[in-house]
Amino acid sequence: MTADDSFNRIDDDDYPAYTMGRAAETLGTTQGFLRALGEARLITPLRSEGGHRRYSRYQLRIAARARELVDQGTPIEAACRIIILEDQLEEAQRINAEHHRPAESANPTAAS
């Protein structure tokens, strides 16, 4: 990957730009917490050529939500399950909204 490729991906939420140390520092947590999220399969960091974990901004947002729940006293396993269910609900709502759009545009009086 060239420097130009890296610069073009700077706004990509899925680009694994954060090392484990930097991710933990950004979240104000420990590297062990991030490893635990990986073991619970909430987030799966990509690996550098040297085998080091790399995290994306999207993964950091998920980890931040997990930390929020754990800080409130939720066990880490339960926090991971809650986040997975929240994500599934959001996806189901998005799909449901997509299915309603064509019906509403085909029958504008039904939407009123």
Side-chain angles (χ1 to χ4, degrees):
M1 180 176 292
T2 67
D4 286 339
D5 291 339
S6 296
F7 183 75
N8 290 335
R9 300 196 70 186
I10 201 162
D11 291 329
D12 183 352
D13 271 357
D14 295 320
Y15 182 68
Y18 296 86
T19 63
M20 176 179 269
R22 183 69 176 136
E25 180 183 320
T26 299
L27 296 170
T29 191
T30 65
Q31 293 181 16
F33 179 77
L34 291 173
R35 279 191 288 276
L37 296 180
E39 289 169 12
R41 297 184 184 207
L42 181 63
I43 56 176
T44 304
L46 283 116
R47 298 282 183 150
S48 69
E49 289 181 17
H52 300 282
R53 291 174 178 90
R54 300 284 181 176
Y55 297 87
S56 68
R57 285 189 294 192
Y58 174 73
Q59 290 172 324
L60 292 186
R61 284 195 300 274
I62 292 171
R65 175 69 176 128
R67 179 170 185 231
E68 179 183 304
L69 290 168
V70 169
D71 286 351
Q72 294 171 2
T74 306
I76 195 164
E77 298 83 13
C80 292
R81 185 68 183 138
I82 288 168
I83 293 166
I84 289 166
L85 290 170
E86 287 174 341
D87 187 56
Q88 289 173 345
L89 175 60
E90 184 179 316
E91 178 68 7
Q93 288 172 331
R94 183 192 62 75
I95 291 168
N96 190 31
E98 284 179 7
H99 287 294
H100 279 59
R101 280 189 204 116
E104 289 173 358
S105 62
N107 187 2
T109 58
S112 301

